Amino acid sequence: MNAHSLHPVLARAAAVASEVAAGVPAGVALDAPTPCGEFDARTLINHWVLYTSHGLEHRARRTELPAALIERDFTADPDWRAEYAAQLERAVAAWGDPAAWEGDVDLGGSPFPAVGIARMLLLELLLHGWDVARAVGQRIEVDEELALLVGEIVAENAELFRQYGGFAEPVAVPEDASAWERALAASGRDPRWKA
């Protein structure tokens, strides 16, 4: 039995996130502002690492995130970039099991389809990957297929995410904006944002 057709796409998104993490300079100011107004760089990176690598694996396995992970400052470890990359590999491998894509995942007492969870985590990998890259003055390379998929997932979830403060109101972009810029703007991010 083969893994879900989204599995290789998830792997590509994880590879992009890993590249972003590798590009975060060692001396970066972790109190720097980010496109996520309520997060400084440290808070954003910790949120991103927790949910897109550890959370990604635990969702696939239907296990709870340990409290020690939720409270951990990943940025305090000088090797956090390499550890994030290794944890992303474990997480993607966990989703390589076809059973991971079946049924529901419990989200605090609310069942949610596993495929939908994987799609939202793919969104977190790339949108927060962009947030991190922008906050530290780096670039993120998202191919057209991934950009279009992110745009599709944003469109499906935007209303819900806005209700819970996950997305801001859409940002206007020029007519010639790329698929990636459109996806960012639809999620309430300004593609021109700079630290």
Side-chain angles (χ1 to χ4, degrees):
M1 197 168 170
N2 294 327
H4 194 277
S5 60
L6 269 178
H7 183 251
V9 181
L10 185 64
R12 285 192 1 247
V16 170
S18 184
E19 283 179 26
V20 169
V24 174
V28 71
L30 293 175
D31 59 351
T34 72
C36 301
E38 72 280 16
F39 288 171
D40 63 10
R42 176 182 284 104
T43 307
L44 173 60
I45 291 170
N46 281 324
H47 172 88
W48 184 54
V49 169
L50 176 66
Y51 290 105
T52 65
S53 64
H54 297 283
L56 186 63
E57 180 180 11
H58 282 273
R59 297 291 188 237
R61 299 190 189 287
R62 312 302 199 268
T63 53
E64 291 289 322
L65 271 171
L69 279 179
I70 295 169
E71 296 162 6
R72 184 171 166 193
D73 178 5
F74 297 98
T75 65
D77 185 339
D79 293 328
W80 74 264
R81 298 157 189 79
E83 288 181 9
Y84 178 55
Q87 179 58 38
L88 278 172
E89 287 184 16
R90 287 190 288 274
V92 170
W95 284 93
D97 179 354
W101 299 86
E102 296 171 1
D104 292 335
V105 174
D106 181 20
L107 288 183
S110 299
F112 201 89
V115 172
I117 290 289
R119 286 167 65 89
M120 283 196 282
L121 287 167
L122 184 148
L123 202 66
E124 289 269 306
L125 280 162
L126 297 175
L127 290 181
H128 278 324
W130 179 84
D131 295 331
V132 170
R134 277 301 162 105
V136 302
Q138 300 294 319
R139 290 182 53 78
I140 179 172
E141 299 295 334
V142 177
D143 66 53
E144 185 82 357
E145 183 186 7
L146 279 176
L148 289 168
L149 179 58
V150 168
E152 177 185 307
I153 300 169
V154 167
E156 288 169 5
N157 295 283
E159 188 176 325
L160 176 67
F161 282 21
R162 284 194 184 94
Q163 285 177 13
Y164 293 99
F167 286 172
E169 289 301 311
V171 174
V173 290
E175 284 187 21
D176 62 350
S178 68
W180 178 235
E181 290 169 331
R182 289 182 186 284
L184 290 168
S187 77
R189 289 162 168 83
D190 183 350
R192 296 155 295 195
W193 189 95
K194 288 184 181 172

